Amino acid sequence: MIKLEKLLEGVDIVHKPLGAISTIKRGRRVTKRQLSPEKKYPVYSGGVKPMGYFEEYNQIENTITIVKYGTAGFVNFIKEKFWANDVCYCVKPLKEVNNKYLLHVLKQKQNYINSLVTDAIPAHLPTDEINGLKIPIPYPNNPEKSLIIQKEIVRILDAFTGLTSELTLELT
């Protein structure tokens, strides 16, 4: 895996809290009784895969989610409209941060995010921990240049991820 730190070498960066560069909101509860395989929109809750399907959506496609309970800390990227249940955070970057850049940063911090999960019953990821997660922002005083750098990092990491997937598929 290409490390983000390598791609940011020599670049003026500042680390900002995730809560300062994005909106982070929890979804709304739906129960299993309200779900049906015949309904249209997947429901993401405390797991890695949808818990079922619902007739409405409350999130648009290409949304970053982080699970609060269940598989707490799991970072996901939902490419379709979906229903976010109340045990998952939906993270939407502000205009100065590229959505896929933020996804790559969070994915590379996956182990660290998992370490923030409490030992309480049930185990959960505290909101304060997520809000305070430090995100590297290149050229913070030049938003236009920052977005150009972020998009280039996304291009490189997406290409690398694609190659890795192809090689893994061939090897199996």
Side-chain angles (χ1 to χ4, degrees), residues 2-15 101 105 108 135-139 146 149-150 153:
I2 296 176
K3 293 288 184 188
L4 188 65
E5 293 81 28
K6 279 283 188 204
L7 296 174
L8 289 171
E9 275 183 6
V11 173
D12 177 28
I13 65 167
V14 107
H15 287 85
Y101 171 78
V105 171
Q108 289 203 6
I135 306 298
I137 304 298
Y139 299 107
S146 181
I149 296 295
Q150 291 175 47
I153 288 171

Side-chain angles (χ1 to χ4, degrees), residues 44-50 64-78 87-89 91 103 106-107 109-111 113-115 117 125 130:
Y44 284 88
S45 191
V48 175
K49 297 192 185 280
I64 299 167
T65 62
I66 304 174
V67 178
K68 179 174 176 71
Y69 292 99
T71 54
F74 178 71
V75 176
N76 204 354
F77 187 69
I78 314 299
V87 297
C88 114
Y89 297 109
V91 182
L103 173 67
L106 292 171
K107 281 294 200 182
K109 291 180 174 279
Q110 182 69 76
N111 288 337
I113 293 169
N114 289 343
S115 77
V117 174
L125 183 59
I130 283 299

Side-chain angles (χ1 to χ4, degrees), residues 29 37 68 133 160:
R29 178 172 296 280
K68 179 174 176 71
L133 194 64
F160 183 77

Side-chain angles (χ1 to χ4, degrees), residues 139-159:
Y139 299 107
N141 297 322
N142 187 338
E144 188 175 309
K145 188 173 185 177
S146 181
L147 283 171
I148 290 169
I149 296 295
Q150 291 175 47
K151 286 178 185 173
E152 180 61 12
I153 288 171
V154 167
R155 187 191 66 74
I156 292 167
L157 292 177
D158 280 352

Side-chain angles (χ1 to χ4, degrees), residues 50-62:
M51 66 181 263
Y53 294 85
F54 194 54
E55 68 264 358
E56 297 176 39
Y57 66 91
N58 63 2
Q59 298 298 319
I60 60 170
E61 53 275 313
N62 301 321

